[in-house]
Amino acid sequence: MMHGNVHKIAASRCIENWFRIESLTSESESNRIVRCQEIPTPHKNGTKDCIVYIINTITCSPAQCLDASRPWLCFWILHSLELLEEPIPAAVASDVCQFLARCQSPTGGFAGGPGQHAHLAPTYAAVNALCIIGTEEAYNIIDREKLLDFLWSVKQPDGSFVMHVGGEVDVRSAYCAASVASLTNILTPKLFENTTNWILSCQNWEGGLSGVPGLEAHGGYTFCGTAALVILGKEHMLDLKALLRWVVSRQMRFEGGFQGRCNKLVDGCYSFWQAGLLPLLHRALFKEGESELSRQRWMFEQQALQEYILLCCQNPTGGLLDKPGKSRDFYHTCYCLSGLSIAQHFGNVDLHHEIILGREENRLAPTHPVYNICPEKVAQAVQHFLRLPVPDVNKQPAASAGDRPEDSASTSGSADHQS
Amino acid sequence: MSGVEETSNEPVNVKEDKEFDVEAEEHIGDDYFVDPTRYLFYRDRKEWADLEPVPQDDGPNPVVKIAYSEKFSDVYDYFRALLKNDERSERAFALTAEAIELNAANYTVWHYRRVLLQALSKDLREEMRYITAIIEEQPKNYQVWHHRRMVVEWLNDPSEELEFIADILSQDAKNYHAWQHRQWVIQEYKLWDNELEFVENLLEDDVRNNSAWNQRHFVISHTTGFSDPAIVEREIQYCLSQIKKAPHNESAWNYLKGMLQDRGLSSPPGLLERVLELKDTHCSPYLLAFLFDCYEDALENSNQKENVGEEERKETLRKALEICELLAQEKDTIRKEYWLYLGRSLKSKSGISSPSDESPEPSVPASGQQEMS
């Protein structure tokens, strides 16, 4: 059976163009870009022709809805390109750095766009994007001292983190905080005091983890909680057996892809959030002394997931999506590709076994199951930041997550404001 | 006015009048002859003339540019101006609603709106009406639910919540934000009394609603708990009755196991037998997995019990491994790797040796091959 290509070059051009629409109009005929407001008839062998999808500029268009998520767009796109092994032009990389610098808040952390308040999600995305770029310029963008201030400003006494000052709590925040703190070497045990226990309290009767204690187990939150615990070195405190049973049960026997919650529908993005748990659990169980783990395969059906992604989740003009009938977007492109990479690559540098469905061109670069950027970029960033001293910040967690009138509306606040 | 069409008489007349009638201009105002429902950019509004709009600072070489509509840019240029000055005014408050409508995910705007709500001592009941409408339009957004929670907290009044959330759930019975808000309200204000009934109604509508099963677990664990054998028996009966109606409903099986796993699946006497009864007529991969779990539990617990003979343990292990094999090769092949691993793992941990021991993958690393670091 012919398995669909990822149309790697078409996909990557599509993504790359998103960065700078203007500059590419001077390209030669073979790289002609069509600006359009809807998806035109797909080109069958469109590896050279590029089609740029410009979102309609009507009120509540999807693009405007992402105005507070622009570092995410940078990460989704850069990570997709690195998985596709498409090099990032140096000028583009530099422009991304400078843009993310404008998203950095004066009080630390990164915001959804210039002038907005810092938020853990775009902070995670920005740091990951900068680590993918991996140049000195990129690393130097991050103000580590202020970043640590920001993390303290969102830390709660019970171990959880709010997503932003005056914002909501859920387990994503712990992952975002742990991810950026560990990559940039600003992690201290005090910063994550009680966090382990809070995350553990999110594991429920189903075996998976919920967004906050008490809720339904959910793939996105389960990934965040588990990966955060791996970073903190505490993953063994989970009921790994129950978690393993829950996550393998999320693979759909007919579709091959993963659902986010029991009895819900398949979605391409869970190819990463759910399947990405298997490498984490494999390693955790191994560390626990499990002797019967496979040395060739993860404990999910890798071929079936690849089939679902390649056959059901591709837009013929480039980009990936949730399920057939849905439209493409950069979030699904990133996470479908990330899941495809997980499904293709077993093991690590020392022990590596590949299962590539279809042509060799379908092979993606491996991704790190904790950070979801390429392992070399993780190593390079960690190595860079380990040479720098951990900032000396003596802080207490924020007393409350409220929005107080005495706080200036124009800043995201800092721990100093707290009583 | 050369640009005016000849067919439209009234505007021509009116405009000509306005041109020469200075006094009328003062009384009438700029917008009089303009369609009052026409949208005016903030940059054209007199009342905003004192404020200098702040364009977005994307820098000289912006990336991930969003194609903003003119309206969007205009509103946010003025939002940024207000933010810069930390203006606390009615007009600022009104503008936040427009900014929210254009992008309800802009958490900076929501934060500012909350600061204004307090600084201006706004009517929180009216804010409840506002946020109710916004959530109805955009129920899958984080910010709107968090905002509602803040208003409810400030009012210290949860009286509308259960009904409101029920309405949202009637449109999407699995909305994660809705359930999160519901659990918060119930726990914060101790509104447990009718929740089990609410859950049962939802399960009547859709026995496969996993969110409802989770809520069931939530209510019981925070009220009666699962220690009381009478409660456990009631729940077992409930599960088995739902399973008989819909045998391939994973939620019911997960609930059954989830409820019992801390105390051990073999703890309720006769449970294994009751499940075995269903094996012929209501079989499913979930039933088989449950049987496996019962056998595994029996093996683990029989390690401590002296009255369980070696033969009995061997037989239990055999049955467990038989199910693993059945699931891996036939009944649940998508999880083949997992079931094979479980079988190997159980065998290895049971300490029971068998003459025909043949594991497909060696448990001792071959020389030269390193395990995952």
Side-chain angles (χ1 to χ4, degrees), chain B residues 130-146:
Chain B
Y130 169 74
I131 195 62
T132 296
I134 300 290
I135 295 175
E136 291 279 356
E137 290 164 27
Q138 307 196 52
K140 289 198 172 181
N141 164 306
Y142 280 95
Q143 286 69 40
V144 300
W145 287 97
H146 178 67

Side-chain angles (χ1 to χ4, degrees), chain B residues 222-264:
Chain B
H222 283 92
T223 52
T224 56
F226 288 99
S227 311
D228 181 356
I231 299 287
V232 173
E233 176 55 30
R234 181 196 75 193
E235 292 302 294
I236 291 174
Q237 274 181 31
Y238 184 79
C239 281
L240 294 179
S241 139
Q242 300 313 320
I243 286 165
K244 282 175 192 146
K245 285 190 251 172
H248 289 265
N249 178 11
E250 189 181 346
S251 292
W253 285 106
N254 289 349
Y255 183 85
L256 186 59
K257 180 174 68 142
M259 165 180 54
L260 300 170
Q261 62 191 0
D262 289 338
R263 271 158 270 274

Side-chain angles (χ1 to χ4, degrees), chain A residues 218-236:
Chain A
H218 179 295
Y221 294 122
T222 302
F223 176 84
C224 288
T226 305
L229 287 174
V230 169
I231 293 171
L232 299 175
K234 299 287 199 298
E235 70 275 25
H236 58 275

